[in-house]
Amino acid sequence: MSVTAESRVNAAELIEEVLKAYPEKSAKRRAKHLTVQEEGKSDCDVKSNIKSLPGVMTIRGCAYAGSKGVVWGPIKDMIHISHGPVGCGQYSWASRRNYYIGTTGIDSYGTMQFTSDFQEKDIVFGGDKKLEKIIDEIDVLFPLNKGISIQSECPIGLIGDDIEAVAKKKAKQYEGKTIVPVRCEGFRGVSQSLGHHIANDTIRDFVFDKTDPTKNAFVGTPYDVAIIGDYNIGGDAWSSRILLEEMGLRVIAQWSGDGSIAELENTPKAKLNILHCYRSMNYISRHMEEKYGIPWVEYNFFGPSKIEESLRKIASFFDDSIKEKTEQVILKYQALTNAVIAKYKPRLQGKKVMLFVGGLRPRHVIGAYEDLGMEVVGTGYEFGHNDDYQRTTHYVKDGTLIYDDVTGYEFEKFVEAIQPDLVGSGVKEKYVFQKMGVPFRQMHSWDYSGPYHGYDGFAIFARDMDMAINNPVWALTKTPWKKAA
Amino acid sequence: MSQNAEKVLDHFKLFREPEYKEMFARKKEEFEYAVPAEALQHTIEWTKTEDYKEKNFAREALTVNPAKACQPLGAVFAANGFEGTLPFVHGSQGCVAYYRSHFSRHFKEPTSCVSSSMTEDAAVFGGLNNMIDGLANAYSLYKPKMIAVSTTCMAEVIGDDLNAFIKTSREKGSIPNEFDVPFAHTPAFVGSHITGYDNALLGVVKYFWDGKAGMAPALERKPNKSVNFIGGFDGYVVGNNREIRRIFNEFGIKYTMLCDPSDAWDTPTDGEFRMYDGGTTLEDTANAIHAKATIVMQTISTEKTAAFIESKGQEVVRLHHPVGVAGTDHLLMELSRITGKEIPESLTKERGRLVDAIADSSAHIHGKKFALYGDPDTMLGLTAFLLELGAEPVTVLSTNGDNDWAAKVQALFDASPFGTNCKVYPKKDLWHLRSLLFTEPVDFLIGNTFGKYLDRDTNTPLIRIGFPIFDRHHKHRYPVWGYQGGLNVLVTILDKIFDTMDADTNGIGTTDYSFDIIR
């Protein structure tokens, strides 16, 4: 369905209407985050990465969520201490579905909750002594751990604790053990995003800069690549890795889904960094480019069109043998892709989707929907920056509604007015829209399904979108005796 | 390639295919520099020993896999129980995203709550402007009847004064002068989610009874015959509150349920999103001061609120999450005593039915050993019920239960022959429990969703009773209180016992002589 000038006007009117509910000052500020995409704009023309308004029900999280929850948490053979009161670690405990292979509690710790469980006395007298003791106790009870990260919660920065000094002292005491102090207190920055950046910087400072390059015996090949910015949600990194290996590449590291500290340490030996979630890991990619001369390339493994394009883009960095194998890979999966599209496209053709997700998906998944004949009519980033919106323009069609850091109120009103066939967002939004009778898929956790990356993932993606939209329950939401209403 | 369009393989089966298994092995071998298999096995075995348990219990600083959350979660629960009320948490915004997700994962329902989104500048200058703008925005957008304010640890550490901030916000016109904004300080570094529930509920009750933070004269109590009911922080609130209502109605008692989120967390899918639904009306909240008495269903979850209510001259009946026959008997007899009404025949008959069910099934529960963990009141109720069933609650553990709580559990053990070999563990976490399940094995484990890791590690079947339950659906819709609730708990336990029995006897030609069709 093409977007007409009329519908663009309607969308602009809708934004205006929704803004009326705010106090004047807030309406002015929110207006800068909402727009209708017009061809030719270089960055969707919205403000982003600025403070959320108080009291509006932002969907955003915090820097701790960005560091512990996203970047560091999946490194499986390290212990990540949620340093501060008990809650942050409790609510984020195993909820992101970063799959890994390992013996939990023995050599892997991904689905565990280590906390310093701050009490009032720790706030009053400081928590550094407790932190030292915690590191000692970890050494006794979890002797196979390969390192520790200290994920700061809000109070740490406010009470003046010196976690860097504790980390340094303990690293020395335990003979060069990797102990990483992370200043990801939740009040820093405006969203998860600063937490990603801070976490990236600590990998630079406490993993790259402190690791003896000869620590891990490593024989490189010309085909060594690292997957950067794939958190292996529901196994995404695995269904990506398998394609890269089939292309003839050697994946020496996964950042950070199913990742290990050794993989982080060895990444500077890669020939190419391939970057999926630009938002959360562009920082370390740029650093490796500057310091180690490793080029990086962004890719998109959602849906066959983008996968094919991305595979070729990655292959272009390598010799003809890789390029040939890449064509073979594309060919190999064509039958599967065709069968998936033949099965699901007739059921999904023309369906409209509205998205609101995190770092890369508000643009990255659009191609996968389009492969199934669907259309994304609204999208926005929870914690995107201007460079994300720049990267979005060539994904979205003219007339698409763009909403940055959408509030609960706006999202509800937008969906109510546009009546899409599917909304893709998070667990906090899921039930709001389902109550309204609108099919929904969680697009952070894949609604407990996945993987969605790669060709194997695309089949699952298509099945899941179909089961959401074509669920017979949506025919039951209205009573037979009140159907007119 | 194993994937196919006809039978799509997702993570459950896809990664068991050979191409993936080989890939995992290569990754481990070449890039992870993994722990050698022998060291791994050695450590696995060591964590099962007395030696490990001793070291594990010697922990003084580290907490691993706790069974508790922080105060503001409880505050949001309490706020959600009042008519048209928007919970407002003053502090960092990430916390609110967490509370909302946590509740949505348990109830499979939306949870509305706003934050004042404090950032670094607020850390330096205080969060007054965040409160002023936050209340104005929340009021305009979400049109609540009341906004209930609580705090994250950030606001507490920098010492923001809610009372003064809300006053200033009124002066600045953020909200109308007469608009109700009760508040409570809920520092995450004190107590747990149940403490936050207590503080927030006290905040609401105190606000209405003691003169709306200086905006109205304090209410004077004029005793009537009504009874208040306070459920406490309760993951089964949807089923429980409806069951309790039914019991009150059977009696014909006039009652006020103080804090009732049972409708807010159980709205229909009919095309309309209800941000607010049901809940205790503000009028009833104020009038609750006149009640004859208040039933406090979870005393440890409601300590301060109970003391405040008592200070107004009401009788407070303090219970500990009663489950089962004797627990419900006690509840009903107290209701009868307070109101002078006889226990209705209908409930007496229900009692008989629960006793009947226990008699029918007790052979399968009698003497079975259980480990259980959870909130302190819940543990008291479940321990009493297990003893009533002739089971042995060998290990009773709570992260947010203190020594006073432990003494109460011990008293239950002491009063029953089935409690002889049982032990209570206050202020311990699920990593402690892991050791105990190895050194003092039991037949079944009772706890929340996180217990599934213990089930996996120690091969102790988990019976899911507690909060949160993320990985089973709709359990919160069924009561665990009242005789009907007791029956639900009994059946939940029995189902797992029978499933385990069947799984243990289905060896073809080896153990399936016991694979009985009648049990």
Side-chain angles (χ1 to χ4, degrees):
Chain A
M1 202 195 311
S2 71
V3 180
T4 62
E6 195 189 347
S7 72
R8 184 157 60 229
V9 173
N10 289 345
E13 275 171 14
L14 174 61
I15 291 173
E16 209 168 296
E17 188 60 34
V18 164
L19 285 172
K20 280 183 191 158
Y22 286 93
E24 203 186 326
K25 181 171 94 173
S26 299
K28 255 187 194 162
R29 289 180 58 183
R30 281 304 304 159
K32 295 173 184 159
H33 298 264
L34 309 172
T35 194
V36 186
Q37 172 63 16
E38 273 181 62
E39 235 173 76
K41 291 243 170 100
S42 64
D43 59 357
C44 301
D45 203 21
V46 288
K47 291 264 184 224
S48 57
N49 194 34
I50 51 183
K51 275 197 279 188
S52 304
L53 294 179
V56 298
M57 215 172 321
T58 174
I59 292 166
R60 284 174 168 176
C62 64
Y64 164 89
S67 175
K68 186 268 184 179
V70 175
V71 174
W72 273 112
I75 298 296
K76 61 183 177 182
D77 52 2
M78 286 176 71
I79 285 174
H80 310 289
I81 304 167
S82 292
H83 191 40
V86 70
C88 316
Q90 201 71 6
Y91 309 126
S92 57
W93 181 3
S95 59
R96 240 176 87 82
R97 305 186 63 238
N98 314 107
Y99 282 6
Y100 62 91
I101 308 267
T103 307
T104 302
I106 310 297
D107 69 353
S108 303
Y109 315 93
T111 49
M112 295 176 71
Q113 149 43 349
F114 292 83
T115 172
S116 46
D117 188 14
F118 260 35
Q119 300 300 303
E120 197 149 23
K121 63 175 192 301
D122 302 314
I123 299 287
V124 176
F125 300 108
D128 287 343
K129 288 236 152 56
K130 187 173 199 176
L131 181 59
E132 284 190 29
K133 201 175 230 177
I134 283 171
I135 292 170
D136 293 339
E137 290 175 358
I138 285 174
D139 182 65
V140 173
L141 293 170
F142 304 94
L144 301 183
N145 83 81
K146 299 270 194 75
I148 292 170
S149 80
I150 301 152
Q151 306 287 331
S152 300
E153 300 171 5
C154 286
I156 304 307
L158 298 171
I159 61 176
D161 272 13
D162 192 352
I163 59 169
E164 289 79 8
V166 174
K168 196 173 174 186
K169 178 178 165 188
K170 286 290 158 184
K172 198 171 168 200
Q173 183 186 330
Y174 291 109
E175 292 157 359
K177 187 186 182 77
T178 302
I179 302 182
V180 187
V182 191
R183 286 287 179 179
C184 55
E185 288 91 342
F187 61 81
R188 294 193 198 278
V190 303
S191 67
Q192 292 92 316
S193 184
L194 188 63
H196 305 142
H197 197 156
I198 291 167
N200 276 224
D201 288 353
T202 54
I203 298 178
R204 177 193 65 202
D205 297 344
F206 293 89
V207 179
F208 289 171
D209 291 358
K210 289 204 192 310
T211 303
D212 173 359
T214 61
K215 179 179 167 190
N216 308 308
F218 187 88
V219 182
T221 78
Y223 305 116
D224 290 353
V225 300
I227 295 177
I228 311 283
D230 188 325
Y231 302 102
N232 204 34
I233 290 165
D236 280 340
W238 293 334
S239 58
S240 303
R241 182 187 186 103
I242 202 161
L243 298 177
L244 298 166
E245 290 190 358
E246 286 176 20
M247 283 167 71
L249 300 176
R250 204 172 78 125
V251 181
I252 66 167
Q254 283 177 207
W255 290 56
S256 54
D258 192 37
S260 56
I261 180 77
E263 289 169 68
L264 296 187
E265 289 165 348
N266 283 334
T267 305
K269 294 162 188 159
K271 301 297 186 293
L272 177 71
N273 280 327
I274 65 164
L275 179 58
H276 208 243
C277 181
Y278 170 85
R279 180 71 276 129
S280 58
M281 286 198 173
N282 77 84
Y283 318 100
I284 200 72
S285 307
R286 292 176 196 281
H287 171 73
M288 283 191 267
E289 184 178 39
E290 280 165 29
K291 182 154 185 193
Y292 308 105
I294 305 170
W296 53 279
V297 58
E298 290 176 64
Y299 70 110
N300 178 349
F301 269 7
F302 289 104
S305 302
K306 289 293 167 190
I307 297 172
E308 193 174 314
E309 191 184 309
S310 297
L311 290 176
R312 292 200 174 109
K313 192 155 89 172
I314 294 165
S316 74
F317 286 79
F318 297 94
D319 58 30
D320 286 350
S321 74
I322 299 294
K323 287 177 191 145
E324 272 161 37
K325 276 189 210 142
T326 301
E327 292 307 318
Q328 287 164 15
V329 172
I330 293 168
L331 206 63
K332 173 183 168 188
Y333 286 96
Q334 222 150 47
L336 170 67
T337 299
N338 290 344
V340 169
I341 291 174
K343 181 174 177 188
Y344 292 106
K345 193 169 178 178
R347 302 164 62 82
L348 298 170
Q349 182 86 44
K351 301 288 183 191
K352 288 188 195 144
V353 186
M354 288 176 77
L355 300 169
F356 185 74
V357 216
L360 77 160
R361 293 164 184 171
R363 62 175 179 275
H364 261 46
V365 297
I366 292 175
Y369 283 113
E370 288 174 351
D371 285 336
L372 293 167
M374 300 166 76
E375 184 189 9
V376 173
V377 296
T379 192
Y381 293 85
E382 202 176 307
F383 46 79
H385 298 203
N386 191 254
D387 50 3
D388 291 298
Y389 285 100
Q390 283 168 359
R391 284 165 165 75
T392 308
T393 51
H394 63 273
Y395 276 100
V396 293
K397 286 188 182 141
D398 205 20
T400 306
L401 191 62
I402 309 284
Y403 30 80
D404 177 71
D405 183 23
V406 79
T407 68
Y409 179 83
E410 291 162 0
F411 206 9
E412 185 193 335
K413 295 297 163 193
F414 288 156
V415 170
E416 213 171 72
I418 292 171
Q419 290 289 318
D421 301 292
L422 180 73
V423 174
S425 192
V427 71
K428 306 192 291 300
E429 295 72 60
K430 178 182 174 83
Y431 303 102
V432 170
F433 296 117
Q434 290 191 175
K435 303 282 178 193
M436 289 164 64
V438 181
F440 188 98
R441 285 295 296 188
Q442 291 184 63
M443 292 300 282
H444 298 266
S445 67
W446 304 150
D447 234 314
Y448 324 121
S449 174
Y452 282 178
H453 290 179
Y455 290 111
D456 284 347
F458 177 64
I460 305 163
F461 173 83
R463 179 200 67 181
D464 289 356
M465 298 311 135
D466 175 52
M467 81 163 82
I469 291 175
N470 294 311
N471 183 342
V473 76
W474 305 123
L476 303 174
T477 59
K478 296 290 173 206
T479 55
W481 55 93
K482 270 202 229 163
K483 262 202 171 138
Chain B
M1 181 172 48
S2 316
Q3 187 62 287
N4 74 87
E6 280 322 298
K7 195 174 181 301
V8 173
L9 302 179
D10 57 21
H11 60 89
F12 291 105
K13 294 282 191 232
L14 180 66
F15 300 129
R16 300 181 196 185
E17 295 295 331
E19 68 267 32
Y20 280 101
K21 286 192 352 205
E22 286 158 21
M23 186 182 85
F24 296 152
R26 266 197 312 279
K27 177 176 184 291
K28 185 176 175 184
E29 175 67 28
E30 292 179 43
F31 305 109
E32 291 182 3
Y33 298 77
V35 173
E38 205 177 310
L40 179 68
Q41 202 51 46
H42 172 82
T43 308
I44 290 172
E45 294 309 320
W46 174 57
T47 65
K48 299 176 182 174
T49 62
E50 282 288 345
D51 175 55
Y52 188 87
K53 182 180 111 181
E54 202 178 296
K55 291 184 166 71
N56 192 6
F57 272 75
R59 267 190 283 147
E60 289 175 352
L62 172 67
T63 299
V64 185
N65 298 354
K68 67 170 181 181
C70 68
Q71 278 213 49
L73 184 83
V76 172
F77 184 106
N80 213 20
F82 291 89
E83 176 199 19
T85 298
L86 183 64
F88 181 116
V89 188
H90 182 54
S92 304
Q93 70 192 16
C95 315
V96 167
Y98 279 142
Y99 314 141
R100 295 180 66 209
S101 302
H102 206 67
F103 282 128
S104 286
R105 287 174 180 139
H106 174 80
F107 290 112
K108 316 295 179 200
E109 290 284 323
T111 301
S112 298
C113 176
V114 298
S115 158
S116 64
S117 294
M118 284 165 67
T119 53
E120 276 156 313
D121 53 343
V124 178
F125 301 111
L128 175 60
N129 287 331
N130 298 69
M131 179 71 80
I132 293 171
D133 291 345
L135 286 176
N137 286 331
Y139 179 78
S140 302
L141 286 182
Y142 299 113
K143 305 201 165 22
K145 284 199 172 149
M146 173 163 97
I147 293 175
V149 179
S150 54
T151 49
T152 76
C153 55
M154 178 199 183
E156 288 302 317
V157 171
I158 65 175
D160 277 2
D161 180 347
L162 291 182
N163 192 16
F165 282 15
I166 294 165
K167 240 182 218 166
T168 309
S169 301
R170 284 186 202 282
E171 287 160 17
K172 300 260 182 193
S174 296
I175 40 168
N177 244 334
E178 67 284 2
F179 185 76
D180 291 317
V181 186
F183 58 89
H185 289 273
T186 49
F189 44 83
V190 177
S192 70
H193 56 288
I194 62 173
T195 323
Y197 171 93
D198 192 14
N199 282 333
L201 183 59
L202 176 65
V204 173
V205 174
K206 209 172 187 173
Y207 175 86
F208 282 100
W209 294 6
D210 272 1
K212 300 194 168 187
M215 298 197 304
L219 300 179
E220 199 181 314
R221 180 166 179 261
K222 295 175 192 131
N224 60 28
K225 287 185 173 167
S226 177
V227 176
N228 299 326
F229 177 88
I230 298 176
F233 188 105
D234 172 23
Y236 295 89
V237 67
V238 170
N240 273 344
N241 281 16
R242 288 183 190 152
E243 182 62 14
I244 293 293
R245 281 179 188 287
R246 195 179 64 82
I247 291 172
F248 274 106
N249 290 337
E250 291 290 312
F251 264 100
I253 297 172
K254 195 172 169 301
Y255 66 93
T256 299
M257 206 162 248
L258 266 180
C259 183
D260 180 14
S262 62
D263 285 342
W265 273 319
D266 193 20
T267 61
T269 286
D270 60 357
E272 182 196 346
F273 162 57
R274 295 160 178 82
M275 180 173 271
Y276 313 107
D277 199 19
T280 313
T281 65
L282 308 190
E283 196 186 352
D284 285 352
T285 305
N287 286 334
I289 190 173
H290 308 304
K292 186 160 196 264
T294 294
I295 305 279
V296 169
M297 203 65 166
Q298 299 193 69
T299 299
I300 301 170
S301 178
T302 326
E303 268 171 353
K304 287 184 207 160
T305 309
F308 175 76
I309 292 172
E310 210 162 36
S311 78
K312 297 290 173 188
Q314 274 187 42
E315 180 183 351
V316 170
V317 176
R318 289 179 166 80
L319 304 172
H320 293 289
H321 196 289
V323 177
V325 180
T328 308
D329 289 352
H330 182 55
L331 168 68
L332 299 193
M333 288 190 292
E334 286 295 274
L335 279 176
S336 171
R337 178 183 62 77
I338 292 164
T339 59
K341 289 177 188 274
E342 275 190 34
I343 294 173
E345 194 50 39
S346 59
L347 294 178
T348 307
K349 210 164 175 187
E350 277 179 34
R351 180 188 190 279
R353 289 178 186 136
L354 174 58
V355 174
D356 179 70
I358 292 170
D360 292 348
S361 310
S362 84
H364 296 289
I365 300 184
H366 190 104
K368 291 274 190 309
K369 290 181 163 61
F370 288 80
L372 52 156
Y373 69 88
D375 282 341
D377 287 303
T378 315
M379 288 302 97
L380 284 160
L382 285 176
T383 300
F385 187 44
L386 288 171
L387 291 167
E388 189 171 272
L389 296 172
E392 293 179 30
V394 169
T395 298
V396 181
L397 180 143
S398 181
T399 308
N400 51 353
D402 60 11
N403 293 332
D404 288 346
W405 164 79
K408 289 192 172 81
V409 177
Q410 188 58 50
L412 292 176
F413 293 157
D414 294 344
S416 165
F418 298 96
T420 313
N421 299 311
C422 302
K423 204 170 167 201
V424 58
Y425 299 88
K427 295 186 267 189
K428 292 287 177 278
D429 57 42
L430 303 190
W431 198 253
H432 292 115
L433 186 52
R434 188 180 185 272
S435 279
L436 290 170
L437 291 173
F438 282 124
T439 56
E440 283 98 68
V442 294
D443 300 305
F444 295 95
L445 171 66
I446 295 179
N448 63 14
T449 279
F450 291 108
K452 76 191 293 175
Y453 296 132
L454 294 168
D455 180 332
R456 174 196 61 193
D457 289 0
T458 70
N459 204 19
T460 315
L462 170 67
I463 297 164
R464 285 170 178 75
I465 301 174
F467 175 90
I469 305 289
F470 291 155
D471 64 338
R472 294 293 184 273
H473 291 193
H474 310 306
K475 302 297 173 193
H476 65 277
R477 297 174 192 270
Y478 299 90
V480 299
W481 291 341
Y483 298 121
Q484 191 58 47
L487 186 64
N488 289 338
V489 174
L490 176 71
V491 172
T492 302
I493 294 171
L494 282 169
D495 280 349
K496 182 61 83 173
I497 290 177
F498 289 130
D499 283 348
T500 305
M501 214 177 259
D502 283 347
D504 193 42
T505 56
N506 66 2
I508 298 171
T510 53
T511 57
D512 63 357
Y513 41 82
S514 301
F515 196 64
D516 277 316
I517 206 72
I518 309 159
R519 297 213 193 267

